[in-house]
Amino acid sequence: MLPRSFRLTAKSQETPDTFTLVFEDPEHGEVRFRPGQFMMIYVFGVGEVPISIAGNPHKTHDLILTVRGVGAVTNAICALDPGMVVGARGPYGSGWPLAAAKGRDLIIVTGGIGIAPLRPAIIETLSRRDDFRDLSLIYGARTPTDLLYKDDLLGWESSADIDVEVTVDRASSEWWGDVGLVTRLLPRVRFNPPNTAAFVCGPEVMMRVVARDLTARGVPTQNVYLSLERNMKCAVGFCGHCQFGRDFLCRTGPIRSFHDLAERMRVDEI
Amino acid sequence: MSLQSLQETAPLLTAMSIDGIEFLESVATEIQFPKGALIFDEDQTAGAFYLIANGKIGLEVSMLAREAHLIETLGPGELLGVSWLFPPYRWSWRARAMVATDVVAFDAEKTRRQCDKDPDFALHIYRTVAEEAVQRLHATRIRVLDLFPGSES
Ligand SMILES: Cc1cc2nc3c(=O)[nH]c(=O)nc-3n(C[C@H](O)[C@H](O)[C@H](O)COP(=O)(O)OP(=O)(O)OC[C@H]3O[C@@H](n4cnc5c(N)ncnc54)[C@H](O)[C@@H]3O)c2cc1C
Ligand code: FES
């Protein structure tokens, strides 16, 4: 439970309010993690928040986080300068079930900052491409300016290994890409519904609509996985902050199948 | 390009009767639009409706003294155009090819007349257009929630 000290070594601005930060822990070295896991990041004197690991799972020397400044702690993380130090404990959480997607078509649907916890999963699936059948990424953002990982997207778009579909909610006529909800792009990607797994991460309403659409097309509810982010405090199952129905999401989540969540996602205030 | 070759991807053609397909074929014209080409403009008469075979079409709204805004994009298998079915048969938006795009254009007036003559054909056309419109309405409602905070366009 004790945090390790991580020093910021590099920082790049993704969008007006979102930064990708690279940390290292010179004392203890690497951070091994599974795609989809998160760390509790402590900014001294400000507070502690859960942030997903966004780096390459095979390059464990660096701890890479993508953070959108929305409040006290996330703004303090975004304001860090190289050389400054944060506390970090983890990794925590269940991670994306890549084993369950093996041998299947895999559709990754994400919106906004939701692409951060999926970036390691995309890198991992591409590194063992033969384990999966058709592989697609559908990514939505508010405007073209709000798209994260623009260099990665260019690389993935030019690869024959993954079908990448990007859409935004609003755009001027200078944008030649898609405009519309992520679900409108589902008919464009190839998948055989009964043998498809889907990883979905984004705002809760978006995830619900995507999960419904996928299951209506015949993807089994057990194969649709959502990342249900609830505020967390201890991250080890003590405090109950992350309780969702009978589950503590820091231990049994945040990634769960739609099959497990569907009923509870309809209940307000869980 | 025969309409049969589009049958798998286009809801308009799936489950349409052979007679219906034959009629549509008789009022169809294949058109290729280069990237950036204007397909129709706001307030013009809606003389045709389109089935997208390949490519992508953007629906735009023009803004006084500002660049046009893209409202939505449509891709292969999707129908372009609803206004041709309801008076006053004028386009509400501007449509532009976002990449080189192949479409099949159907004569709107002849299709409306066929709807008057053949109730089964009419039901299929109205049902397809309604389903497409409802899907777009749902998607638009979710977008109105402005789920992704971020910058202004
Ligand atoms: C498992 C997990 C992984 C996460 N991964 C990332 C990540 O990779 N990058 C990232 O930028 N953020 C991530 N978050 C969200 C991040 O933890 C919150 O934005 C952060 O806790 C807000 O703290 P704050 O002190 O900056 O803002 P606060 O002052 O606590 O809150 C500011 C505003 O943000 C809202 N908010 C707080 N927590 C969340 C949340 N979990 N989801 C949505 N809105 C929230 C509050 O309601 C409030 O309106 C993750 C959250 C979880 C649970
Ligand atoms: S965050 Fe404390 S129980 Fe999950």
Side-chain angles (χ1 to χ4, degrees):
Chain A
M1 278 263 288
L2 278 183
R4 288 157 59 179
S5 294
F6 281 82
R7 188 175 301 278
L8 182 67
T9 58
K11 172 177 164 183
S12 57
Q13 185 157 13
E14 297 275 354
T15 74
D17 63 4
T18 303
F19 292 81
T20 291
L21 307 108
V22 184
F23 295 89
E24 64 176 22
D25 172 2
E27 205 178 320
H28 302 95
E30 59 182 1
V31 183
R32 284 175 185 275
F33 68 99
R34 292 194 304 278
Q37 287 194 296
F38 66 93
M39 300 288 286
M40 294 300 291
I41 305 295
Y42 180 60
V43 182
F44 300 107
V46 186
E48 193 181 40
V49 289
I51 299 291
S52 306
I53 305 175
N56 182 334
H58 300 286
K59 292 188 179 163
T60 50
H61 179 72
D62 291 331
L63 171 65
I64 297 183
L65 309 173
T66 299
V67 181
R68 190 163 71 83
V70 296
V73 184
T74 47
N75 280 327
I77 298 173
C78 291
L80 292 170
D81 287 320
M84 294 174 89
V85 171
V86 294
R89 58 193 176 91
Y92 297 119
S94 44
W96 297 105
L98 287 158
K102 201 171 167 184
R104 300 183 194 277
D105 296 329
L106 175 60
I107 305 184
I108 294 172
V109 188
T110 177
I113 187 83
I115 194 170
L118 279 162
R119 183 172 178 267
I122 298 167
I123 294 170
E124 178 66 20
T125 49
L126 288 171
S127 78
R128 44 192 181 97
R129 181 65 189 84
D130 290 347
D131 281 0
F132 310 94
R133 294 164 68 93
D134 281 316
L135 183 58
S136 325
L137 166 68
I138 301 179
Y139 172 36
R142 189 189 214 192
T143 72
T145 315
D146 297 306
L147 291 167
L148 306 182
Y149 308 135
K150 292 188 178 79
D151 289 343
D152 285 338
L153 285 173
L154 281 176
W156 297 333
E157 272 165 347
S158 62
S159 156
D161 286 335
I162 182 166
D163 181 0
V164 179
E165 302 285 341
V166 174
T167 183
V168 297
D169 274 352
R170 48 185 90 164
S172 72
S173 50
E174 278 162 30
W175 166 252
W176 293 95
D178 276 291
V179 177
L181 193 66
V182 281
T183 48
R184 302 272 304 148
L185 299 183
L186 279 173
R188 303 230 193 127
V189 300
R190 275 195 354 187
F191 62 103
N192 172 25
N195 194 28
T196 293
F199 296 168
V200 188
C201 187
E204 216 160 291
V205 177
M206 183 210 92
M207 291 198 291
R208 212 162 20 182
V209 173
V210 170
R212 267 197 222 132
D213 203 316
L214 284 167
T215 50
R217 287 168 195 273
V219 179
T221 49
Q222 298 90 321
N223 294 358
V224 177
Y225 295 90
L226 317 179
S227 178
L228 208 64
E229 295 180 357
R230 284 293 183 275
N231 277 350
M232 295 190 184
K233 197 164 182 179
C234 70
V236 289
F238 288 159
C239 71
H241 256 73
C242 64
Q243 189 162 6
F244 180 69
R246 60 182 178 274
D247 287 310
F248 286 179
L249 287 175
C250 64
R251 301 302 297 269
T252 58
I255 294 155
R256 300 293 299 267
S257 79
F258 188 51
H259 185 74
D260 290 344
L261 298 173
E263 276 305 314
R264 282 177 279 167
M265 283 181 87
R266 266 184 238 122
V267 182
D268 287 344
E269 298 303 329
I270 283 194
Chain B
M1 162 198 350
S2 76
L3 287 190
Q4 265 98 354
S5 68
L6 297 174
Q7 229 168 347
E8 250 181 47
T9 48
L12 172 71
L13 304 176
T14 345
M16 177 164 275
S17 67
I18 293 171
D19 286 353
I21 300 261
E22 272 173 13
F23 168 77
L24 284 177
E25 246 156 6
S26 73
V27 298
T29 317
E30 287 174 31
I31 309 178
Q32 283 155 357
F33 292 106
K35 178 178 174 178
L38 189 68
I39 298 168
F40 54 72
D41 206 346
E42 286 165 54
D43 290 329
Q44 282 179 345
T45 301
F49 66 103
Y50 305 83
L51 178 59
I52 305 172
N54 291 298
K56 178 158 59 188
I57 289 173
L59 292 177
E60 298 174 350
V61 59
S62 57
M63 312 277 277
L64 272 185
R66 284 182 59 187
E67 60 191 339
H69 267 244
L70 261 178
I71 306 162
E72 186 161 43
T73 47
L74 304 173
E78 291 189 287
L79 266 186
L80 168 66
V82 173
S83 308
W84 65 276
L85 202 47
F86 305 100
Y89 312 120
R90 289 189 177 279
W91 297 122
S92 306
W93 314 109
R94 179 187 293 171
R96 192 183 291 286
M98 311 278 295
V99 294
T101 298
D102 300 325
V103 301
V104 184
F106 302 98
D107 185 293
E109 206 186 320
K110 288 181 182 156
T111 307
R112 286 197 300 268
R113 264 192 264 128
Q114 183 69 9
C115 286
D116 292 339
K117 278 195 270 176
D118 179 347
D120 287 341
F121 177 78
L123 180 66
H124 188 84
I125 293 278
Y126 278 86
R127 187 178 276 162
T128 308
V129 170
E131 276 173 7
E132 188 75 28
V134 165
Q135 276 180 22
R136 289 185 206 170
L137 175 66
H138 285 326
T140 304
R141 282 182 176 157
I142 303 282
R143 279 166 64 199
V144 167
L145 293 175
D146 206 8
L147 294 177
F148 310 125
S151 61
E152 282 310 314
S153 51

